[in-house]
PDB file of all heavy atoms in Angstrom:
ATOM      1  N   SER A   1     -73.620  59.031  -3.256  1.00  0.00           N
ATOM      2  CA  SER A   1     -73.581  59.675  -1.937  1.00  0.00           C
ATOM      3  C   SER A   1     -74.962  59.696  -1.304  1.00  0.00           C
ATOM      4  O   SER A   1     -75.106  59.464  -0.095  1.00  0.00           O
ATOM      5  CB  SER A   1     -73.049  61.103  -2.054  1.00  0.00           C
ATOM      6  OG  SER A   1     -71.736  61.100  -2.557  1.00  0.00           O
ATOM      7  N   HIS A   2     -75.991  59.972  -2.107  1.00  0.00           N
ATOM      8  CA  HIS A   2     -77.361  59.966  -1.587  1.00  0.00           C
ATOM      9  C   HIS A   2     -77.724  58.585  -1.040  1.00  0.00           C
ATOM     10  O   HIS A   2     -78.295  58.476   0.050  1.00  0.00           O
ATOM     11  CB  HIS A   2     -78.357  60.367  -2.670  1.00  0.00           C
ATOM     12  CG  HIS A   2     -78.303  61.804  -3.082  1.00  0.00           C
ATOM     13  ND1 HIS A   2     -78.020  62.839  -2.229  1.00  0.00           N
ATOM     14  CD2 HIS A   2     -78.518  62.385  -4.291  1.00  0.00           C
ATOM     15  CE1 HIS A   2     -78.053  63.983  -2.867  1.00  0.00           C
ATOM     16  NE2 HIS A   2     -78.353  63.740  -4.130  1.00  0.00           N
ATOM     17  N   ALA A   3     -77.401  57.526  -1.771  1.00  0.00           N
ATOM     18  CA  ALA A   3     -77.718  56.167  -1.322  1.00  0.00           C
ATOM     19  C   ALA A   3     -76.991  55.844  -0.020  1.00  0.00           C
ATOM     20  O   ALA A   3     -77.582  55.301   0.920  1.00  0.00           O
ATOM     21  CB  ALA A   3     -77.352  55.154  -2.397  1.00  0.00           C
ATOM     22  N   SER A   4     -75.720  56.193   0.039  1.00  0.00           N
ATOM     23  CA  SER A   4     -74.936  55.935   1.236  1.00  0.00           C
ATOM     24  C   SER A   4     -75.484  56.698   2.442  1.00  0.00           C
ATOM     25  O   SER A   4     -75.593  56.152   3.541  1.00  0.00           O
ATOM     26  CB  SER A   4     -73.481  56.313   0.978  1.00  0.00           C
ATOM     27  OG  SER A   4     -72.686  55.973   2.076  1.00  0.00           O
ATOM     28  N   LEU A   5     -75.850  57.952   2.227  1.00  0.00           N
ATOM     29  CA  LEU A   5     -76.452  58.751   3.302  1.00  0.00           C
ATOM     30  C   LEU A   5     -77.763  58.142   3.783  1.00  0.00           C
ATOM     31  O   LEU A   5     -78.010  58.052   4.992  1.00  0.00           O
ATOM     32  CB  LEU A   5     -76.747  60.167   2.798  1.00  0.00           C
ATOM     33  CG  LEU A   5     -75.777  61.264   3.156  1.00  0.00           C
ATOM     34  CD1 LEU A   5     -76.094  62.526   2.369  1.00  0.00           C
ATOM     35  CD2 LEU A   5     -75.796  61.543   4.625  1.00  0.00           C
ATOM     36  N   LEU A   6     -78.615  57.753   2.857  1.00  0.00           N
ATOM     37  CA  LEU A   6     -79.898  57.169   3.228  1.00  0.00           C
ATOM     38  C   LEU A   6     -79.710  55.910   4.067  1.00  0.00           C
ATOM     39  O   LEU A   6     -80.391  55.727   5.083  1.00  0.00           O
ATOM     40  CB  LEU A   6     -80.721  56.836   1.978  1.00  0.00           C
ATOM     41  CG  LEU A   6     -81.396  58.013   1.304  1.00  0.00           C
ATOM     42  CD1 LEU A   6     -81.823  57.656  -0.115  1.00  0.00           C
ATOM     43  CD2 LEU A   6     -82.602  58.470   2.128  1.00  0.00           C
ATOM     44  N   ARG A   7     -78.807  55.054   3.660  1.00  0.00           N
ATOM     45  CA  ARG A   7     -78.603  53.782   4.372  1.00  0.00           C
ATOM     46  C   ARG A   7     -77.832  53.961   5.674  1.00  0.00           C
ATOM     47  O   ARG A   7     -78.271  53.519   6.731  1.00  0.00           O
ATOM     48  CB  ARG A   7     -77.850  52.786   3.487  1.00  0.00           C
ATOM     49  CG  ARG A   7     -78.611  52.352   2.273  1.00  0.00           C
ATOM     50  CD  ARG A   7     -79.739  51.413   2.619  1.00  0.00           C
ATOM     51  NE  ARG A   7     -80.265  50.827   1.393  1.00  0.00           N
ATOM     52  CZ  ARG A   7     -81.537  50.579   1.192  1.00  0.00           C
ATOM     53  NH1 ARG A   7     -82.424  50.836   2.115  1.00  0.00           N
ATOM     54  NH2 ARG A   7     -81.938  50.055   0.059  1.00  0.00           N
ATOM     55  N   SER A   8     -76.678  54.608   5.597  1.00  0.00           N
ATOM     56  CA  SER A   8     -75.777  54.659   6.744  1.00  0.00           C
ATOM     57  C   SER A   8     -76.174  55.680   7.801  1.00  0.00           C
ATOM     58  O   SER A   8     -76.200  55.374   8.982  1.00  0.00           O
ATOM     59  CB  SER A   8     -74.353  54.954   6.278  1.00  0.00           C
ATOM     60  OG  SER A   8     -73.927  53.973   5.385  1.00  0.00           O
ATOM     61  N   ARG A   9     -76.453  56.899   7.391  1.00  0.00           N
ATOM     62  CA  ARG A   9     -76.736  57.954   8.354  1.00  0.00           C
ATOM     63  C   ARG A   9     -78.199  58.058   8.746  1.00  0.00           C
ATOM     64  O   ARG A   9     -78.520  58.268   9.905  1.00  0.00           O
ATOM     65  CB  ARG A   9     -76.286  59.296   7.804  1.00  0.00           C
ATOM     66  CG  ARG A   9     -75.108  59.815   8.582  1.00  0.00           C
ATOM     67  CD  ARG A   9     -74.732  61.179   8.160  1.00  0.00           C
ATOM     68  NE  ARG A   9     -73.398  61.090   7.594  1.00  0.00           N
ATOM     69  CZ  ARG A   9     -72.823  62.040   6.945  1.00  0.00           C
ATOM     70  NH1 ARG A   9     -73.451  63.168   6.730  1.00  0.00           N
ATOM     71  NH2 ARG A   9     -71.614  61.887   6.485  1.00  0.00           N
ATOM     72  N   LEU A  10     -79.086  57.916   7.756  1.00  0.00           N
ATOM     73  CA  LEU A  10     -80.511  58.090   8.044  1.00  0.00           C
ATOM     74  C   LEU A  10     -81.187  56.776   8.438  1.00  0.00           C
ATOM     75  O   LEU A  10     -82.307  56.790   8.934  1.00  0.00           O
ATOM     76  CB  LEU A  10     -81.220  58.708   6.835  1.00  0.00           C
ATOM     77  CG  LEU A  10     -80.714  60.089   6.412  1.00  0.00           C
ATOM     78  CD1 LEU A  10     -81.465  60.595   5.196  1.00  0.00           C
ATOM     79  CD2 LEU A  10     -80.829  61.080   7.560  1.00  0.00           C
ATOM     80  N   GLY A  11     -80.542  55.651   8.196  1.00  0.00           N
ATOM     81  CA  GLY A  11     -81.098  54.359   8.594  1.00  0.00           C
ATOM     82  C   GLY A  11     -82.300  53.922   7.778  1.00  0.00           C
ATOM     83  O   GLY A  11     -83.136  53.169   8.260  1.00  0.00           O
ATOM     84  N   TYR A  12     -82.382  54.367   6.531  1.00  0.00           N
ATOM     85  CA  TYR A  12     -83.507  53.989   5.669  1.00  0.00           C
ATOM     86  C   TYR A  12     -83.334  52.537   5.226  1.00  0.00           C
ATOM     87  O   TYR A  12     -82.296  52.150   4.711  1.00  0.00           O
ATOM     88  CB  TYR A  12     -83.567  54.923   4.458  1.00  0.00           C
ATOM     89  CG  TYR A  12     -84.654  54.584   3.470  1.00  0.00           C
ATOM     90  CD1 TYR A  12     -85.992  54.707   3.825  1.00  0.00           C
ATOM     91  CD2 TYR A  12     -84.352  54.132   2.196  1.00  0.00           C
ATOM     92  CE1 TYR A  12     -86.997  54.401   2.921  1.00  0.00           C
ATOM     93  CE2 TYR A  12     -85.352  53.824   1.289  1.00  0.00           C
ATOM     94  CZ  TYR A  12     -86.670  53.956   1.658  1.00  0.00           C
ATOM     95  OH  TYR A  12     -87.669  53.647   0.773  1.00  0.00           O
ATOM     96  N   HIS A  13     -84.381  51.723   5.431  1.00  0.00           N
ATOM     97  CA  HIS A  13     -84.325  50.305   5.090  1.00  0.00           C
ATOM     98  C   HIS A  13     -85.213  49.942   3.909  1.00  0.00           C
ATOM     99  O   HIS A  13     -85.276  48.781   3.523  1.00  0.00           O
ATOM    100  CB  HIS A  13     -84.720  49.456   6.295  1.00  0.00           C
ATOM    101  CG  HIS A  13     -83.793  49.623   7.457  1.00  0.00           C
ATOM    102  ND1 HIS A  13     -82.509  49.141   7.457  1.00  0.00           N
ATOM    103  CD2 HIS A  13     -83.956  50.249   8.649  1.00  0.00           C
ATOM    104  CE1 HIS A  13     -81.924  49.448   8.591  1.00  0.00           C
ATOM    105  NE2 HIS A  13     -82.768  50.130   9.334  1.00  0.00           N
ATOM    106  N   GLY A  14     -85.888  50.927   3.324  1.00  0.00           N
ATOM    107  CA  GLY A  14     -86.779  50.673   2.193  1.00  0.00           C
ATOM    108  C   GLY A  14     -86.015  50.532   0.890  1.00  0.00           C
ATOM    109  O   GLY A  14     -84.789  50.458   0.856  1.00  0.00           O
ATOM    110  N   ALA A  15     -86.759  50.514  -0.205  1.00  0.00           N
ATOM    111  CA  ALA A  15     -86.190  50.311  -1.533  1.00  0.00           C
ATOM    112  C   ALA A  15     -85.550  51.586  -2.074  1.00  0.00           C
ATOM    113  O   ALA A  15     -86.108  52.677  -1.945  1.00  0.00           O
ATOM    114  CB  ALA A  15     -87.275  49.835  -2.489  1.00  0.00           C
ATOM    115  N   ILE A  16     -84.384  51.411  -2.697  1.00  0.00           N
ATOM    116  CA  ILE A  16     -83.689  52.503  -3.379  1.00  0.00           C
ATOM    117  C   ILE A  16     -83.385  52.037  -4.800  1.00  0.00           C
ATOM    118  O   ILE A  16     -82.865  50.949  -4.996  1.00  0.00           O
ATOM    119  CB  ILE A  16     -82.373  52.901  -2.674  1.00  0.00           C
ATOM    120  CG1 ILE A  16     -82.642  53.369  -1.243  1.00  0.00           C
ATOM    121  CG2 ILE A  16     -81.657  53.990  -3.464  1.00  0.00           C
ATOM    122  CD1 ILE A  16     -81.379  53.702  -0.463  1.00  0.00           C
ATOM    123  N   ARG A  17     -83.721  52.885  -5.770  1.00  0.00           N
ATOM    124  CA  ARG A  17     -83.521  52.548  -7.183  1.00  0.00           C
ATOM    125  C   ARG A  17     -82.696  53.629  -7.871  1.00  0.00           C
ATOM    126  O   ARG A  17     -82.893  54.814  -7.647  1.00  0.00           O
ATOM    127  CB  ARG A  17     -84.872  52.427  -7.882  1.00  0.00           C
ATOM    128  CG  ARG A  17     -84.738  52.215  -9.390  1.00  0.00           C
ATOM    129  CD  ARG A  17     -86.066  51.951 -10.043  1.00  0.00           C
ATOM    130  NE  ARG A  17     -86.629  50.739  -9.461  1.00  0.00           N
ATOM    131  CZ  ARG A  17     -87.909  50.420  -9.552  1.00  0.00           C
ATOM    132  NH1 ARG A  17     -88.753  51.201 -10.169  1.00  0.00           N
ATOM    133  NH2 ARG A  17     -88.348  49.308  -9.013  1.00  0.00           N
ATOM    134  N   ALA A  18     -81.787  53.217  -8.726  1.00  0.00           N
ATOM    135  CA  ALA A  18     -81.040  54.144  -9.581  1.00  0.00           C
ATOM    136  C   ALA A  18     -81.795  54.278 -10.900  1.00  0.00           C
ATOM    137  O   ALA A  18     -82.202  53.283 -11.487  1.00  0.00           O
ATOM    138  CB  ALA A  18     -79.638  53.618  -9.836  1.00  0.00           C
ATOM    139  N   VAL A  19     -81.991  55.510 -11.338  1.00  0.00           N
ATOM    140  CA  VAL A  19     -82.662  55.775 -12.617  1.00  0.00           C
ATOM    141  C   VAL A  19     -81.808  56.750 -13.418  1.00  0.00           C
ATOM    142  O   VAL A  19     -81.059  57.532 -12.866  1.00  0.00           O
ATOM    143  CB  VAL A  19     -84.093  56.343 -12.422  1.00  0.00           C
ATOM    144  CG1 VAL A  19     -84.971  55.376 -11.670  1.00  0.00           C
ATOM    145  CG2 VAL A  19     -84.066  57.691 -11.706  1.00  0.00           C
ATOM    146  N   GLY A  20     -81.935  56.688 -14.741  1.00  0.00           N
ATOM    147  CA  GLY A  20     -81.187  57.615 -15.587  1.00  0.00           C
ATOM    148  C   GLY A  20     -80.127  56.904 -16.394  1.00  0.00           C
ATOM    149  O   GLY A  20     -80.348  55.803 -16.897  1.00  0.00           O
ATOM    150  N   ASP A  21     -78.958  57.510 -16.480  1.00  0.00           N
ATOM    151  CA  ASP A  21     -77.862  56.992 -17.292  1.00  0.00           C
ATOM    152  C   ASP A  21     -77.065  55.960 -16.495  1.00  0.00           C
ATOM    153  O   ASP A  21     -75.970  56.229 -16.015  1.00  0.00           O
ATOM    154  CB  ASP A  21     -76.968  58.147 -17.747  1.00  0.00           C
ATOM    155  CG  ASP A  21     -75.973  57.744 -18.813  1.00  0.00           C
ATOM    156  OD1 ASP A  21     -76.141  56.657 -19.408  1.00  0.00           O
ATOM    157  OD2 ASP A  21     -75.027  58.502 -19.055  1.00  0.00           O
ATOM    158  N   VAL A  22     -77.630  54.761 -16.362  1.00  0.00           N
ATOM    159  CA  VAL A  22     -77.007  53.687 -15.586  1.00  0.00           C
ATOM    160  C   VAL A  22     -76.235  52.779 -16.534  1.00  0.00           C
ATOM    161  O   VAL A  22     -76.807  52.211 -17.460  1.00  0.00           O
ATOM    162  CB  VAL A  22     -78.078  52.874 -14.826  1.00  0.00           C
ATOM    163  CG1 VAL A  22     -77.444  51.701 -14.108  1.00  0.00           C
ATOM    164  CG2 VAL A  22     -78.826  53.768 -13.848  1.00  0.00           C
ATOM    165  N   LEU A  23     -74.934  52.651 -16.290  1.00  0.00           N
ATOM    166  CA  LEU A  23     -74.075  51.806 -17.117  1.00  0.00           C
ATOM    167  C   LEU A  23     -73.703  50.542 -16.353  1.00  0.00           C
ATOM    168  O   LEU A  23     -73.697  50.519 -15.118  1.00  0.00           O
ATOM    169  CB  LEU A  23     -72.815  52.575 -17.523  1.00  0.00           C
ATOM    170  CG  LEU A  23     -73.050  53.867 -18.300  1.00  0.00           C
ATOM    171  CD1 LEU A  23     -71.735  54.555 -18.605  1.00  0.00           C
ATOM    172  CD2 LEU A  23     -73.842  53.614 -19.574  1.00  0.00           C
ATOM    173  N   ILE A  24     -73.356  49.500 -17.080  1.00  0.00           N
ATOM    174  CA  ILE A  24     -73.097  48.194 -16.476  1.00  0.00           C
ATOM    175  C   ILE A  24     -71.988  48.228 -15.435  1.00  0.00           C
ATOM    176  O   ILE A  24     -72.085  47.580 -14.386  1.00  0.00           O
ATOM    177  CB  ILE A  24     -72.824  47.112 -17.557  1.00  0.00           C
ATOM    178  CG1 ILE A  24     -72.787  45.715 -16.932  1.00  0.00           C
ATOM    179  CG2 ILE A  24     -71.547  47.396 -18.326  1.00  0.00           C
ATOM    180  CD1 ILE A  24     -74.101  45.233 -16.415  1.00  0.00           C
ATOM    181  N   ASP A  25     -70.922  48.985 -15.670  1.00  0.00           N
ATOM    182  CA  ASP A  25     -69.815  48.979 -14.719  1.00  0.00           C
ATOM    183  C   ASP A  25     -70.124  49.724 -13.426  1.00  0.00           C
ATOM    184  O   ASP A  25     -69.418  49.582 -12.439  1.00  0.00           O
ATOM    185  CB  ASP A  25     -68.529  49.504 -15.358  1.00  0.00           C
ATOM    186  CG  ASP A  25     -68.668  50.883 -15.948  1.00  0.00           C
ATOM    187  OD1 ASP A  25     -69.810  51.310 -16.202  1.00  0.00           O
ATOM    188  OD2 ASP A  25     -67.632  51.528 -16.184  1.00  0.00           O
ATOM    189  N   GLN A  26     -71.201  50.504 -13.398  1.00  0.00           N
ATOM    190  CA  GLN A  26     -71.595  51.212 -12.182  1.00  0.00           C
ATOM    191  C   GLN A  26     -72.458  50.350 -11.260  1.00  0.00           C
ATOM    192  O   GLN A  26     -72.522  50.600 -10.064  1.00  0.00           O
ATOM    193  CB  GLN A  26     -72.399  52.469 -12.533  1.00  0.00           C
ATOM    194  CG  GLN A  26     -71.639  53.496 -13.313  1.00  0.00           C
ATOM    195  CD  GLN A  26     -72.559  54.593 -13.808  1.00  0.00           C
ATOM    196  OE1 GLN A  26     -73.633  54.315 -14.355  1.00  0.00           O
ATOM    197  NE2 GLN A  26     -72.149  55.830 -13.616  1.00  0.00           N
ATOM    198  N   ILE A  27     -73.125  49.356 -11.802  1.00  0.00           N
ATOM    199  CA  ILE A  27     -74.123  48.601 -11.040  1.00  0.00           C
ATOM    200  C   ILE A  27     -73.538  47.905  -9.806  1.00  0.00           C
ATOM    201  O   ILE A  27     -74.118  48.007  -8.717  1.00  0.00           O
ATOM    202  CB  ILE A  27     -74.909  47.647 -11.955  1.00  0.00           C
ATOM    203  CG1 ILE A  27     -75.747  48.487 -12.939  1.00  0.00           C
ATOM    204  CG2 ILE A  27     -75.801  46.710 -11.144  1.00  0.00           C
ATOM    205  CD1 ILE A  27     -76.459  47.701 -14.016  1.00  0.00           C
TER     206      ILE A  27
END
């Protein structure tokens, strides 16, 4: 939801990274 908000609503065009418990099926 944070990523979607940053891109769609806030118009952020910079880099976004997922950190933590990242599993292959989520990527």
Side-chain angles (χ1 to χ4, degrees):
S1 299
H2 290 325
S4 185
L5 260 170
L6 283 163
R7 294 287 191 217
S8 301
R9 249 186 244 169
L10 299 179
Y12 177 66
H13 298 290
I16 300 177
R17 174 174 299 162
V19 299
D21 192 15
V22 176
L23 301 178
I24 189 68
D25 56 341
Q26 297 171 313
I27 294 173

